[in-house]
Amino acid sequence: MSEATLERGMNAFREQMNAPVASFFSSCVNCGMCAEACLFYTETGDPKYTPIHKLEPLRRVWEQEYTLWGRLKSMLGLSKPVTDELLEEWETLIYDGCTLCGRCSMVCPVGNDISYMIRRAREGFVAAGYAPEGIKGASRRAITIGSPMGVKFPALAAQIKHVEADSGLTIPVDVEGADYMALLSSMEIMNFPEYLEALAKIFKQAGVTWTISSEAFEATNSGIQIGSSDIARELVNRVVVAAEKLKVKYVISPECGHAYTAIRWEGPNLIGRPYDFKVVHILELLDELRSAGRLKTEGTEDDRLTFHDPCQIVRKGGVLEPPRNLLNMVATNFVDMNDSREMNWCCGGGGGVSANERAEELRIKAFKRKKTQLDELNVETLVTACANCRLIIEEGLEEYRMEMPVVGLTEMIAEHLVEDEK
Amino acid sequence: MADDRKKLSMTLGESLRQQGVSRRGFLKYCAATASMMALPPTMVPAIAQALEKAKRPSVIWLSFQECTGCTESLTRSHSPSVENLIFDHISLDYHHTLQVASGDAAEAAREAAMHENEGKYIVVVDGSIPLANPGYSSIAGISNLQMLEETVAGAAAVVAVGSCAAFGGLPHANPNPTGAVSVGEIVKDKPVVNVSGCPPIPTVITGVLAHFLTFGSLPELDALGRPMVFFGQSIHDRCYRRPFYDKGLFAETFDDEGARKGWCLFRLGCKGPMTYNACATAKWNQGTSWPVESGHGCLGCSEPDFWDAGGFYNALSIPDSDLTRKTGYVVGAGVALGAAAGALNRSTRAKAAAKHETVTIDDLDKKS
């Protein structure tokens, strides 16, 4: 059995150095514009949360081992080495003070993708043994039990039974040859079972053949959050194996944001081959059904409501208009936040921050950004499409004593379905 | 729709008047065009008459490997000028940067314009064409080469706008990774006018079009395929700082007394003597100024291979051969150093990858 060491961490940093990283570091002009785009900086005012600053350990490895000046400088003893102390100090910046939301990348005047680099820097931190306990635990549970929250299939089976009993619908499990295989996040299984019911209702009305796999139902990927491609690969691979075994045409990413990033964008690169199936986000699928006229709704929500764009789905995933199309189907009083769509502010809990107990105080502070956005709008209801965002926002609202229901978009659509065949 | 059709059938004169351009403004433009093109004043009424009656010609604008600076040059004006209005009054049927349509609709517009104006339309090209691999630049899945060949097939003439289209430009600069070539290297069976410059002067572009509308032919071209009327004289010959050159008064740095007094910028690397263009007379930004007037030497942007012609701040008086040898050494050393550093970096990374130990959940903790 091996263990995490500084040497392994350094090796991982070296491995992460590719052309984009090198060009990003060499083109950074230290303008600091990324700071203003980061909610951890704007809400704390502490310059250490400047996104590019969070990359100091990775930058040092790049400079010292990949550039001529850096090599000369380290030969002459002019540069500071990367040490355990440095990594320990930076661990909180890179895990507690970054949600990988990518807003900083949007404003960088030289086009540096900072969140791409943070994701890569985490590879070094985790290999060197500097990852928060919370995400370590989540990763262990994901690998050994099958889900970061420790949910096993029997727990899902029990929820399925409840939903079936309540709604009179059937939820197909392990149906070979179905068109779609739905993934869930544990958060949805345990905290928001209405999501499952909503799926069943919508798919029944739209005539979509679907299934859940008893072997891989969990979509969240702590490997991405902790920053280990090795762990992420194993988790993605489970889904790929299950989907290919059931011979489905599509795999549906749940509302959960990092799950979507993991299965849709990082997955094929992690396993090193294209999938036999396509990945769609549930909102993309719903919007497709809507435009094909297969989604029939009645009645409207007349509350003044807004939509929180989850960063992984909207900013980094490109699902910009589907949520709006869907909302406008059932809501009469929908208003966009300032900075909506690709420039929306993060809830503060993505990228593993919500699994990291130590980060809670900081996360609550960062939530003030969302609070400000909501205060400006004066809305009665908040709709979102990421189970993690939803939970974090609910906690934040409670903390700041704001009364506002937080609703998942899929459920909202399901509630307005025309029930003609009963 | 009806409006559009009516607009299409309008003559240029009608269309200009509808836009509120006065007869006087129009004649001023014709006079300016005549003088720009070095035509006798007696030609002004002829130009006016021809333009007045001309139908809006169909122009298909193709953008290949370029930075859109040429389009910017043409569209960025602070108040409408006659040449901008002329541009509003040709029928710009395809320009994927400016047009509203995209995807199939855009390509359909191009094809429609080609069929409807077979043999009569003008193709304007900005950007160079990659020959190494079509994947370096393609539009709607069509390679630049293919789009150029099929569009030019039914054209009356081709105008290569900007140094990229005229001479390969920046993409063609050493080591030319995309295999970029100019329009003239591909189109051999149609008249090609090179309107070089990085970017070219807007008046020159519209001037070429006006000439085509007036006389039904293209202006006389120089050895590099550029209209003589605009590229016939060097920057140096028309430069307002020329008297200082003749008196031997040179600025030595950008902030010395000579620079403040507006002396010649030759020693600061001005390429005016070897550059043929109309900057000194036509000026930029609606006649506001031009590079030499704002204190910087000419870069020689309208000449072939201007990117590979040595440093912008090296005076031309440094013997060419010496310059080549010197830069040769420096470039050689740089390339060797770069290659060595690249190889070193690749091996550092490969070694790291070879040493990679899979991170499992058992390795998350440090042994304490």
Side-chain angles (χ1 to χ4, degrees):
Chain A
M1 199 174 20
S2 50
E3 79 226 21
T5 59
L6 176 63
E7 195 194 332
R8 282 183 73 178
M10 291 295 288
N11 194 57
F13 282 135
R14 278 179 212 123
E15 263 185 279
Q16 296 309 314
M17 235 49 89
N18 59 3
V21 172
S23 68
F24 293 162
F25 277 133
S26 46
S27 52
C28 175
V29 291
N30 297 315
C31 67
M33 274 179 71
C34 48
E36 297 292 338
C38 176
L39 73 173
F40 290 101
Y41 170 74
T42 59
E43 301 315 299
T44 62
D46 190 337
K48 72 178 179 185
Y49 291 114
T50 301
I52 193 73
H53 176 69
K54 296 172 192 167
L55 289 159
E56 181 60 18
L58 187 68
R59 198 195 64 79
R60 273 195 209 172
V61 175
W62 166 75
E63 188 188 75
Q64 291 167 11
E65 307 201 15
Y66 288 84
T67 68
L68 183 64
W69 280 122
R71 283 193 191 109
L72 286 175
K73 267 165 82 182
S74 21
M75 259 189 262
L76 299 171
L78 291 173
S79 52
K80 290 182 203 149
V82 175
T83 58
D84 275 311
E85 290 70 41
L86 181 80
L87 295 184
E88 199 176 336
E89 195 187 334
W90 251 260
E91 182 194 319
T92 52
L93 292 186
I94 215 156
Y95 282 106
D96 304 20
C98 175
T99 60
L100 298 175
C101 82
R103 199 169 184 275
C104 49
S105 308
M106 301 292 286
V107 303
C108 178
V110 292
N112 288 353
D113 189 347
I114 300 171
S115 70
Y116 168 91
M117 293 202 279
I118 300 258
R119 163 72 184 80
R120 290 186 157 258
R122 284 188 184 184
E123 295 272 350
F125 277 81
V126 66
Y130 294 97
E133 277 313 315
I135 323 184
K136 281 187 196 171
S139 300
R140 281 196 196 97
R141 285 189 295 274
I143 294 286
T144 52
I145 305 174
S147 120
M149 286 173 73
V151 177
K152 289 187 183 174
F153 183 69
L156 174 60
Q159 288 285 28
I160 289 177
K161 215 174 270 173
H162 281 306
V163 172
E164 285 183 335
D166 286 352
S167 63
L169 297 158
T170 38
I171 293 179
V173 177
D174 291 335
V175 177
E176 210 181 293
D179 283 344
Y180 292 87
M181 179 175 112
L183 296 173
L184 302 161
S185 70
S186 301
M187 206 85 86
E188 283 155 350
I189 302 169
M190 301 317 292
N191 299 10
F192 309 114
E194 25 330 350
Y195 175 75
L196 195 54
E197 186 178 336
L199 279 190
K201 260 171 96 176
I202 294 169
F203 290 163
K204 187 178 174 212
Q205 193 208 53
V208 168
T209 65
W210 68 297
T211 184
I212 285 176
S213 163
S214 61
E215 287 166 21
F217 52 85
E218 168 65 55
T220 50
N221 195 313
S222 351
I224 298 287
Q225 298 178 335
I226 201 168
S228 165
S229 294
D230 294 326
I231 295 174
R233 180 180 310 116
E234 183 166 343
L235 296 175
V236 164
N237 204 39
R238 283 181 190 166
V239 174
V240 175
V241 168
E244 290 180 349
K245 194 167 139 194
L246 290 177
K247 301 188 181 67
V248 294
K249 289 189 198 125
Y250 299 91
V251 164
I252 307 170
S253 162
E255 291 198 337
C256 174
H258 281 272
Y260 176 64
T261 290
I263 192 75
R264 175 79 183 258
W265 309 116
E266 297 218 13
N269 294 318
L270 288 168
I271 65 169
R273 67 172 175 90
Y275 300 148
D276 284 354
F277 50 85
K278 277 191 179 157
V279 178
V280 289
H281 189 263
I282 180 70
L283 293 188
E284 291 177 294
L285 174 58
L286 293 183
D287 193 38
E288 213 172 280
L289 296 175
R290 176 198 62 82
S291 64
R294 290 165 73 185
L295 213 56
K296 291 181 196 74
T297 57
E298 61 185 358
T300 50
E301 300 278 333
D302 302 318
D303 278 10
R304 190 170 158 83
L305 52 80
T306 190
F307 183 70
H308 164 76
D309 292 285
C311 23
Q312 300 297 321
I313 297 166
V314 179
R315 171 158 47 246
K316 296 177 91 177
V319 186
L320 274 82
E321 296 310 322
R324 286 163 177 83
N325 296 341
L326 292 164
L327 266 169
N328 285 326
M329 243 181 130
V330 295
T332 52
N333 207 351
F334 162 63
V335 279
D336 255 321
M337 288 187 206
N338 283 333
D339 294 325
S340 65
R341 296 182 173 83
E342 67 272 23
M343 285 311 283
N344 191 36
W345 291 91
C346 172
C347 65
V353 175
S354 63
N356 178 359
E357 294 86 1
R358 181 183 68 196
E360 193 175 325
E361 201 190 319
L362 179 62
R363 173 163 67 73
I364 293 290
K365 220 182 248 181
F367 186 79
K368 276 191 297 181
R369 195 53 247 181
K370 190 91 286 172
K371 180 181 178 320
T372 312
Q373 271 187 304
L374 291 172
D375 288 346
E376 283 166 359
L377 278 183
N378 194 23
V379 287
E380 295 157 276
T381 306
L382 180 81
V383 185
T384 189
C386 162
N388 194 42
C389 289
R390 195 168 158 187
L391 204 70
I392 295 299
I393 293 173
E394 278 180 355
E395 277 183 33
L397 294 176
E398 203 174 310
E399 180 72 29
Y400 291 104
R401 304 208 162 38
M402 295 165 79
E403 293 283 330
M404 187 183 297
V406 183
V407 189
L409 180 50
T410 312
E411 286 107 89
M412 184 179 262
I413 296 294
E415 260 172 43
H416 287 281
L417 284 187
V418 179
E419 294 183 39
D420 45 2
E421 323 129 291
K422 254 219 163 152
Chain B
M1 267 317 270
D3 261 349
D4 278 353
R5 225 169 288 133
K6 196 178 160 217
K7 216 175 151 191
L8 267 177
S9 63
M10 262 194 285
T11 65
L12 205 55
E14 287 168 340
S15 172
L16 282 168
R17 265 191 297 286
Q18 203 189 44
Q19 293 285 318
V21 175
S22 67
R23 175 104 190 124
R24 183 180 157 79
F26 178 61
L27 281 174
K28 258 172 81 181
Y29 170 76
C30 294
T33 306
S35 80
M36 278 287 287
M37 295 195 289
L39 297 168
T42 48
M43 280 309 291
V44 175
I47 294 176
Q49 210 176 13
L51 287 184
E52 181 83 42
K53 286 193 197 136
K55 288 270 187 288
R56 299 167 68 218
S58 174
V59 171
I60 298 178
W61 184 298
L62 305 175
S63 297
F64 299 141
Q65 291 193 131
E66 42 76 72
C67 67
T68 315
C70 297
T71 300
E72 284 278 353
S73 162
L74 205 62
T75 56
R76 183 159 294 190
S77 76
H78 300 283
S79 63
S81 66
V82 183
E83 68 259 37
N84 278 90
L85 284 169
I86 285 274
F87 237 78
D88 286 342
H89 298 286
I90 60 169
S91 178
L92 189 55
D93 289 325
Y94 177 85
H95 187 309
H96 67 239
T97 312
L98 299 177
Q99 72 192 148
V100 176
S102 63
D104 288 344
E107 296 312 305
R110 179 171 63 91
E111 275 156 30
M114 283 162 60
H115 290 303
E116 281 164 28
N117 305 289
E118 180 79 47
K120 285 185 290 198
Y121 59 86
I122 300 173
V123 176
V124 178
V125 181
D126 64 336
S128 59
I129 300 97
L131 292 186
N133 176 346
Y136 283 120
S137 171
S138 67
I139 296 150
I142 307 168
S143 76
N144 289 171
L145 179 63
Q146 193 192 343
M147 185 176 280
L148 178 65
E149 281 174 344
E150 75 184 38
T151 313
V152 161
V158 185
V159 183
V161 160
S163 291
C164 293
F167 306 124
L170 175 58
H172 181 267
N174 261 331
N176 189 3
T178 64
V181 297
S182 66
V183 172
E185 284 186 71
I186 291 167
V187 180
K188 300 283 185 199
D189 56 350
K190 297 274 169 177
V192 177
V193 183
N194 287 332
V195 178
S196 64
C198 189
I201 299 171
T203 330
V204 177
I205 308 173
T206 51
V208 170
L209 297 174
H211 191 287
F212 184 76
L213 290 176
T214 308
F215 303 108
S217 66
L218 291 166
E220 193 194 341
L221 306 179
D222 71 7
L224 293 169
R226 303 179 295 192
M228 287 286 273
V229 289
F230 302 110
F231 294 89
Q233 280 173 312
S234 72
I235 295 285
H236 189 56
D237 288 339
R238 283 302 190 98
C239 182
Y240 78 107
R241 297 192 191 218
R242 178 64 185 268
F244 295 109
Y245 173 86
D246 292 339
K247 285 183 191 159
L249 295 172
F250 298 101
E252 299 291 344
T253 68
F254 281 110
D255 57 0
D256 68 0
E257 218 206 337
R260 273 189 284 274
K261 285 185 173 162
W263 291 354
C264 178
L265 301 169
F266 181 83
R267 290 198 182 152
L268 292 171
C270 180
K271 304 288 185 285
M274 52 152 274
T275 305
Y276 291 80
N277 205 344
C279 299
T281 42
K283 298 199 184 179
W284 286 88
N285 298 319
Q286 306 210 302
T288 306
S289 177
W290 61 292
V292 172
E293 194 172 344
S294 44
H296 195 284
C298 168
L299 301 181
C301 74
S302 58
E303 296 303 307
D305 301 320
F306 90 99
W307 285 101
D308 295 326
F312 289 153
Y313 302 103
N314 290 344
L316 284 170
S317 55
I318 292 178
D320 252 350
S321 58
D322 208 3
L323 184 77
T324 326
R325 206 176 312 131
K326 262 191 221 156
T327 38
Y329 291 143
V330 174
V331 167
V335 166
L337 210 59
L344 196 59
N345 286 349
R346 267 198 301 282
S347 92
T348 309
R349 195 168 164 232
K351 264 189 232 153
K355 269 201 270 176
H356 179 93
E357 292 171 58
T358 304
V359 175
T360 72
I361 48 160
D362 297 323
D363 311 331
L364 296 179
D365 289 318
K366 248 189 162 63
K367 208 193 263 170
S368 48

